[in-house]
């Protein structure tokens, strides 16, 4: 019996060895076998490999990358090689990713090809938010996604959706708003639009990356209420409404821990509370805490280095990292891979219709351009054929921001070009002077090779020269109007500053504005200012000088055409501000905790080591205390009654609108349905964005005077035409966060729905009652390690 038993064991072991050998020769293939079976078949080296990206070697940042002992694969798009690594043995392809939030960032030229590969420079995030039109935003994003697909990429690394906590954040042009609700809704529309093409997105930077200074190490410190209501709410809305394929964790710390290594943020909140089931990937760089990132639920290390793979393998071998954590993350990555066009072997054209997309950008960006001032209805320019066009940026307009938000576009249309196709001739004497100056400055700047910082931040906007008096007076009698363009830009890796040429106008710009206005007013002619800027600047000290101000932002490569179309009346502005323009910078509570003039490092692209300050931590550099709490933007100004230059939600048009018959109804589950009729009471066609603000009973919490809870935009209305707008707000969206109980609360009591043309222009209102209080408990996580002394608002 003993001999027979031993024989059976030997037979079983032999059979198992045969099966194992067969499995090795015929391993399961992704798509044919289940993901569970694929994971079981993977070696620990393969598992670690698929959790680490494959970009650095392909970009020559790591000379050893080409000789990696782990699986690599270069995606075909030069300049956009960000990728996941393939595992050919198991039928797992590599996948391709590219920046960015306003269009694909890739190289124009490719080895072995004489063709130029351009991408469309679409309107930046702030322009998208300024439309207040989610349907339009989704439409534009759909075309952006089609371009991503036809260039053979799987994920575009955007949208950027950090809160515009302070106007000097260098990447605010990528972001949407100071309001988390508007933030979330616009982001959702972009994600839904892009992903409708079967390609993915990576909303970023999750979370608390609200400044660029020392962005790799700075600690964003805030209360749980500030975190939940302001910083995370937009991400929450986006995740629940659009289900992005990936989310990018940020570089910075949040309440003491790096976000990419924070289990409470990436798993407890993002996955357990919000139900997210996609991939979390790091921002581009690397930190020492690879193993902690894996444990936290950060699935993919980007851009990826071999030593990160080795860290994961070693941690499993020494028992500091469980195979369960590894397998969980691997499954997330594989579930992403099977959705990609690379996995589906899509035969991309490498030839998207960028000409059609340029026309789209020209037309639709107009809806995000904002008319700030229009005395005597000078705009649109009627019966005007000749214009004196001043300002360097009239002839070198800014399409978008710098850094990863930049796009290698085919061209940028300038204002003089746009005016010409609209039948308005720019004065040639003035134009020639500016163009010669630009050519000289460009030639001078082109002598020295660009630094790494310059590559990241992009070319600087040329400083406005002091225009000679003769130039401002030249042909003033024959020109019908004067137009002045003021330009500003910013980019990744650095914040803006409180100085002339950034927040403030320069002496030369003020001189030009005053000279031109005095000259043209002396002969009974008007002056228009065009703001071709990426973010908020100071306006209160000079806005009374010109007759009209058009806030163009940086609306993409067709900027000059788009602006000129509006000036000439071919199209019309209907944008509204997604943020507040304060009278002064320090009127903003967040400004007292922001690195507004920091001159130190923080612009490095690669995270090559700890570059934080030595010795004692530096306030607003090594850490930022969010002492303003929830009092960001209009929440603060409407509650305190403090005056602003231009309020949140503000924007004029070429016609007027009346709001009529406000009605609010509350369903049994607490859902609020608000309706209002909007009538075009002017003499021109137009669209109106209606903002629904709610004043809520305080309950146990101090609350802002008003909070944006819904918005809607009309279709194009002819004079006399009206439209009934319907907006819904569920009970959860009315809630505030009570950190003492770790729950969202919608208080019972009397509420007021306020229908506004802006946060300070409430046109009508209606009361409603929530009969029963509701609460939504959440995990008590992400508390600050150091208590934050928030400002008190009475």
């Amino acid at each position: 019996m003993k001999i027979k038993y031993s024989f059976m064991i030997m037979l079983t072991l032999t059979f198992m060895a045969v099966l194992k050998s067969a499995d090795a020769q015929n391993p399961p293939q992704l798509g044919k076998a289940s993901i569970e079976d694929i994971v079981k078949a993977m070696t620990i080296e393969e598992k670690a490999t698929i959790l680490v990206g494959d970009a650095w070697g392909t970009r020559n940042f790591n000379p050893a990358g080409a000789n990696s002992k782990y699986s690599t694969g270069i995606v075909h798009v030069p300049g956009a090689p960000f990728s996941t690594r393939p595992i050919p043995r198991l039928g797992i392809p590599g996948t391709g990713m590219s920046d960015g939030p306003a269009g694909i960032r890739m190289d124009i030229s490719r080895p072995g090809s004489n063709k130029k590969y351009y991408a469309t420079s679409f309107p930046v995030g702030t322009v998208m938010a300024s439309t207040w039109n989610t349907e339009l935003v989704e439409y534009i994003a759909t075309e952006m996604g089609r371009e991503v697909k036809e260039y053979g990429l799987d994920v575009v690394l955007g949208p950027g959706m950090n809160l515009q906590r302070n106007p000097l954040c260098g990447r605010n042009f990528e972001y949407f708003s100071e309001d988390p609700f508007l933030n979330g809704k616009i982001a959702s529309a972009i994600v839904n639009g892009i992903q409708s093409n079967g390609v993915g997105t990576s909303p970023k930077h999750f979370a608390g990356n609200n400044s660029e200074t020392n962005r790799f190490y700075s600690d964003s410190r805030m209360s749980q209420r500030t975190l939940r209501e302001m910083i995370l709410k937009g991400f929450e809305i986006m995740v629940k409404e659009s289900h992005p394929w990936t989310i990018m964790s940020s570089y910075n710390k949040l309440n003491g821990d790096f976000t990419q290594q924070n289990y409470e943020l990436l798993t407890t909140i993002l996955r357990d509370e919000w139900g997210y089931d996609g991939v979390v990937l790091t921002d581009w760089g690397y930190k020492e805490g690879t193993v902690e990132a894996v444990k936290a639920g950060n699935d993919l290390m980007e851009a990826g280095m071999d030593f990160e793979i080795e860290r994961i393998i070693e941690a499993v071998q020494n028992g500091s990292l469980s195979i369960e954590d590894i397998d969980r993350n691997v499954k997330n990555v594989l579930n992403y891979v099977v959705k990609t066009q690379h996995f589906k072997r899509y035969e991309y054209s490498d030839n998207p219709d960028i000409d059609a997309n340029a026309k789209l950008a020209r037309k639709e960006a107009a809806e995000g351009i904002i008319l700030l001032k229009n005395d005597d209805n000078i705009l649109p320019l009627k019966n005007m054929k000749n214009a004196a066009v001043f300002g360097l940026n009239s002839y070198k307009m800014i399409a978008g921001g710098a850094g990863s938000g930049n796009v290698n576009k085919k061209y940028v249309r300038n204002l003089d070009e746009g005016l010409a196709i609209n039948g308005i001739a720019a004065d040639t004497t003035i134009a020639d002077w500016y163009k010669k100056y630009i050519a000289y400055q460009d030639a001078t700047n082109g002598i020295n090779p660009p630094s790494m910082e310059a590559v990241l931040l992009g070319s600087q906007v040329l400083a406005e020269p002091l225009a000679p008096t003769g130039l401002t007076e030249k042909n003033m009698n024959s020109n019908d109007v004067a137009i002045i363009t003021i330009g500003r830009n910013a980019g990744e890796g650095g914040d803006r500053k409180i100085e002339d040429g950034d927040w403030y106008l320069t002496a030369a710009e003020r001189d030009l504005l005053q000279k031109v206005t005095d000259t043209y007013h002396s002969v009974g002619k008007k002056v228009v200012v065009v703001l071709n800027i990426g973010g908020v600047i100071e306006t209160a000290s000079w806005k009374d000088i010109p007759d009209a101000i058009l806030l163009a932002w940086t609306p993409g490569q067709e900027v000059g055409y788009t602006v000129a179309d509006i000036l000439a009346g071919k199209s019309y502005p209907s944008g509204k501000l997604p943020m507040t323009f304060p009278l002064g910078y320090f009127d903003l509570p967040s400004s007292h905790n922001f690195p507004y003039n920091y001159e130190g490092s923080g612009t490095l692209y690669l995270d090559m080591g700890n570059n934080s300050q030595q010795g004692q931590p530096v306030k607003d550099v090594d850490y930022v205390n969010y002492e303003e709490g929830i009092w960001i933007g209009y929440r603060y100004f409407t509650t305190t009654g403090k005056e602003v230059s231009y309020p949140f939600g503000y924007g004029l048009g070429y016609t007027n609108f009346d709001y009529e018959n406000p009605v609010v109804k509350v369903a049994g589950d607490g859902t609020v349905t608000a309706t209002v009729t909007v009538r075009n009471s002017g003499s021109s066609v137009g669209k109106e964005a209606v903002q629904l603000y709610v004043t809520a009973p305080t309950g146990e919490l101090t609350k802002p005077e008003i909070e944006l809870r819904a918005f809607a935009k009309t279709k194009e209305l002819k004079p006399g035409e009206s439209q009934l707008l319907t907006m819904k707000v569920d009970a959860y969206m009315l809630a505030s966060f009570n950190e003492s109980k770790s729950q969202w609360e919608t208080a019972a009591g009397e509420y007021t729905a306020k229908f506004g043309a802006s946060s300070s222009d409430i046109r009508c209102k209606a009361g409603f009652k929530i009969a029963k209080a509701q609460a939504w408990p959440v995990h008590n996580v992400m508390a600050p390690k150091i208590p934050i002394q928030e400002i008190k608002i009475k």
Side-chain angles (χ1 to χ4, degrees):
M1 293 294 293
K2 187 177 292 185
I3 295 174
K4 183 176 181 181
Y5 182 69
S6 298
F7 174 76
M8 292 299 295
I9 292 175
M10 291 177 61
L11 184 64
T12 301
L13 290 174
T14 302
F15 182 67
M16 290 177 65
V18 170
L19 288 178
K20 186 173 182 180
S21 176
D23 286 343
Q25 295 176 9
N26 299 289
Q29 299 294 295
L30 187 65
K32 295 180 180 179
S34 70
I35 286 178
E36 290 283 348
D37 288 339
I38 297 294
V39 174
K40 289 177 183 177
M42 295 176 79
T43 67
I44 183 58
E45 288 81 8
E46 288 171 333
K47 291 177 180 180
T49 297
I50 207 168
L51 298 184
V52 177
D54 188 28
W56 279 165
T58 65
R59 298 188 73 190
N60 296 320
F61 284 127
N62 173 24
N67 300 316
S68 171
K69 65 181 179 179
Y70 302 102
S71 178
T72 62
I74 300 175
V75 176
H76 85 286
V77 184
F82 310 144
S83 59
T84 60
R85 299 182 188 231
I87 309 292
R89 185 179 75 88
L90 300 170
I92 303 171
T95 67
M97 303 177 181
S98 173
D99 289 319
I104 303 169
R105 187 169 69 127
M106 62 183 186
D107 292 345
I108 296 171
S109 301
R110 298 183 185 176
S113 174
N114 294 324
K115 179 182 174 181
K116 299 298 183 183
Y117 296 83
Y118 296 103
T120 305
S121 174
F122 288 95
V124 299
T126 296
V127 177
M128 296 284 212
S130 297
T131 68
W132 293 72
N133 187 338
T134 54
E135 184 177 345
L136 174 67
V137 168
E138 185 169 335
Y139 171 59
I140 295 172
T142 298
E143 298 309 307
M144 188 188 301
R146 187 168 289 121
E147 201 163 299
V148 172
K149 182 177 181 178
E150 291 306 319
Y151 269 132
L153 293 160
D154 299 299
V155 171
V156 62
L157 301 172
M161 56 174 299
N162 290 103
L163 195 71
Q164 291 188 1
R165 169 183 176 253
N166 187 278
L168 295 189
C169 175
R171 297 181 79 169
N172 272 354
F173 70 92
E174 293 185 36
Y175 306 151
F176 301 127
S177 175
E178 69 184 29
D179 181 78
F181 178 77
L182 181 59
N183 221 23
K185 289 293 185 179
I186 298 298
S188 296
I190 291 176
V191 172
N192 284 331
I194 292 174
Q195 293 192 171
S196 67
N197 293 279
V199 294
T201 58
S202 192
K204 58 187 183 182
H205 309 85
F206 190 66
N209 182 189
N210 304 111
S211 60
E212 288 294 283
T213 300
N214 195 25
R215 61 181 177 152
F216 296 118
Y217 295 99
S218 181
D219 185 6
S220 298
R221 302 172 177 176
M222 65 195 75
S223 69
Q224 290 167 299
R225 183 180 183 188
T226 300
L227 177 66
R228 293 276 191 172
E229 284 193 26
M230 304 303 295
I231 302 303
L232 296 185
K233 178 55 72 173
F235 282 99
E236 180 184 0
I237 292 169
M238 178 276 303
V239 166
K240 291 179 176 178
E241 292 189 359
S242 60
H243 310 287
W245 287 13
T246 79
I247 287 177
M248 185 187 295
S249 57
S250 55
Y251 290 123
N252 56 281
K253 295 178 181 178
L254 181 54
N255 284 341
D257 298 311
F258 287 114
T259 63
Q260 59 187 246
Q261 299 166 23
N262 193 317
Y263 184 91
E264 292 182 347
L265 179 69
L266 301 186
T267 296
T268 305
I269 293 178
L270 179 60
R271 296 189 187 278
D272 297 344
E273 292 183 7
W274 299 353
Y276 180 65
D277 60 0
V279 168
V280 175
L281 52 87
T282 67
D283 203 342
W284 260 238
Y286 54 85
K287 294 187 181 296
E288 295 179 0
T290 304
V291 173
E292 292 306 311
V294 173
K295 292 178 182 178
N298 205 121
D299 307 296
L300 182 59
M301 310 300 137
E302 290 288 3
M305 300 291 274
D306 280 5
F307 59 72
E308 294 177 287
I309 297 175
E310 290 162 0
R311 286 173 181 169
I312 295 171
I313 295 171
E314 181 181 356
V316 173
Q317 291 173 342
N318 66 28
S320 61
L321 178 61
S322 73
I323 196 66
E324 289 78 15
D325 283 343
I326 294 282
D327 288 352
R328 175 199 63 205
N329 294 9
V330 169
K331 289 174 186 177
N332 288 336
V333 174
L334 292 179
N335 277 313
Y336 148 73
V337 170
V338 297
K339 292 190 290 189
T340 65
Q341 296 302 319
H342 267 87
F343 179 77
K344 297 174 182 177
R345 298 181 180 179
Y346 175 69
E347 294 184 7
Y348 51 86
S349 68
D350 245 348
N351 191 35
D353 195 343
I354 60 172
D355 292 333
N357 284 344
K359 293 177 182 177
L360 168 74
R362 172 184 176 180
K363 179 178 183 292
E364 306 302 348
E367 200 158 321
I369 290 179
I370 302 165
L371 184 60
L372 295 178
K373 182 179 181 180
N374 195 22
D375 289 354
D376 300 325
N377 294 319
I378 174 63
L379 296 178
L381 303 174
K382 299 175 182 176
N383 303 317
M384 295 187 183
K385 299 297 182 183
N386 300 295
V389 182
F390 295 96
L392 282 182
N393 288 102
S394 295
Y395 307 95
K396 191 173 184 177
M397 298 200 84
I398 307 165
S404 60
N406 191 26
V407 177
N408 288 324
K409 51 266 181 195
K410 192 173 183 180
Y411 55 78
V412 176
R413 301 295 188 193
N414 292 317
L415 183 57
D416 60 325
E417 300 175 76
L419 290 171
I421 65 170
N422 277 283
I424 301 175
D427 187 290
T428 55
T429 301
I430 299 171
D432 287 346
W433 187 84
Y434 279 109
K435 289 178 180 180
K436 289 176 180 177
Y437 185 89
I438 291 170
Y440 168 75
Q441 292 294 336
D442 285 347
T444 301
N445 293 337
I447 292 174
N448 297 317
S451 64
M452 185 59 156
E453 181 175 321
V455 169
L456 182 62
L457 295 177
S459 58
Q460 292 184 332
V461 177
L462 296 179
E464 188 68 38
L466 191 63
T469 301
L471 187 71
T472 58
E473 295 179 351
K474 188 72 174 178
N475 301 330
M476 64 181 184
N477 291 313
S478 57
N479 288 321
D480 300 311
V481 66
I483 303 171
I484 303 170
T485 301
I486 295 171
R488 294 286 188 277
N489 206 7
E492 180 179 4
D495 290 312
R496 295 173 53 207
K497 294 180 171 57
I498 298 297
E499 60 185 30
D500 291 357
D502 195 340
W503 176 255
Y504 297 107
L505 299 189
T506 64
E509 288 169 334
R510 290 179 182 275
D511 181 77
L512 178 67
L513 178 58
Q514 196 65 64
K515 277 183 180 177
V516 170
T517 304
D518 290 345
T519 298
Y520 276 77
H521 281 185
S522 71
V523 291
K525 297 177 181 179
K526 304 294 186 180
V527 177
V528 178
V529 168
V530 174
L531 294 177
N532 182 200
I533 59 180
V536 177
I537 66 172
E538 190 274 334
T539 57
S541 68
W542 60 266
K543 67 180 183 179
D544 291 336
I545 299 174
D547 302 286
I549 303 173
L550 189 68
L551 176 56
W553 297 123
T554 50
Q557 67 186 63
E558 296 286 319
V559 49
Y561 280 5
T562 301
V563 172
D565 288 346
I566 289 177
L567 294 176
K570 180 180 289 185
S571 61
Y572 53 85
S574 64
K576 297 200 173 189
L577 289 176
M579 78 293 286
T580 305
F581 275 50
L583 287 177
Y585 176 70
F586 290 103
D587 288 346
L588 296 156
S590 65
S591 297
H592 300 280
N593 292 277
F594 190 87
Y596 55 85
N597 268 344
Y598 181 63
E599 296 291 347
S601 178
T603 58
L604 294 175
Y605 186 46
L606 304 181
D607 185 4
M608 292 301 187
N610 193 327
N611 63 351
S612 60
Q613 300 292 309
Q614 300 299 314
Q616 292 297 316
V618 177
K619 180 181 179 295
D620 301 334
V621 176
D622 295 311
Y623 65 91
V624 180
N625 290 336
Y626 286 43
E627 294 177 0
E628 74 278 1
I630 65 170
W631 306 106
I632 294 174
Y634 76 88
R635 283 171 167 77
Y636 171 74
F637 290 107
T638 57
T639 303
T640 61
K642 196 173 184 67
E643 188 180 354
V644 300
S645 185
Y646 294 108
F648 176 83
Y650 174 85
L652 304 174
Y654 289 164
T655 189
N656 300 310
F657 296 93
D658 291 338
Y659 295 21
E660 303 166 343
N661 302 321
V663 177
V664 178
K665 296 180 180 179
V666 182
D669 62 357
T671 298
V672 176
T673 301
T675 61
V676 67
T677 298
V678 179
R679 182 171 58 86
N680 185 343
S681 57
S683 58
S684 180
V685 298
K687 295 182 181 180
E688 174 72 345
V690 176
Q691 302 143 45
L692 180 65
Y693 299 96
V694 172
T695 298
T698 57
E700 297 181 12
L701 304 172
T702 300
K703 297 182 181 179
E705 172 64 24
I706 56 172
E707 291 183 278
L708 182 73
R709 296 308 192 195
F711 60 90
K713 197 163 190 176
T714 67
K715 64 180 183 180
E716 183 174 273
L717 297 178
K718 299 175 182 178
E721 191 176 4
S722 63
Q723 181 180 353
L724 178 68
L725 295 180
T726 300
M727 293 167 276
K728 289 192 175 184
V729 186
D730 64 34
Y732 180 64
M733 283 308 302
L734 289 173
S736 299
F737 189 72
N738 187 337
E739 58 187 42
S740 68
K741 298 179 181 179
S742 195
Q743 64 183 23
W744 291 93
E745 297 176 349
T746 295
E750 301 292 335
Y751 289 72
T752 305
K754 300 178 178 180
F755 301 82
S758 77
S759 60
S760 65
D761 183 10
I762 305 301
R763 299 292 181 87
C764 56
K765 61 182 71 174
F768 64 95
K769 184 177 181 179
I770 299 293
K772 183 179 180 181
Q774 295 190 53
W776 296 264
V778 295
H779 298 86
N780 185 8
V781 294
M782 297 299 298
K785 293 179 172 61
I786 299 174
I788 305 301
Q789 300 299 316
E790 294 183 346
I791 63 173
K792 302 296 182 183
I793 304 295
K794 295 181 179 180

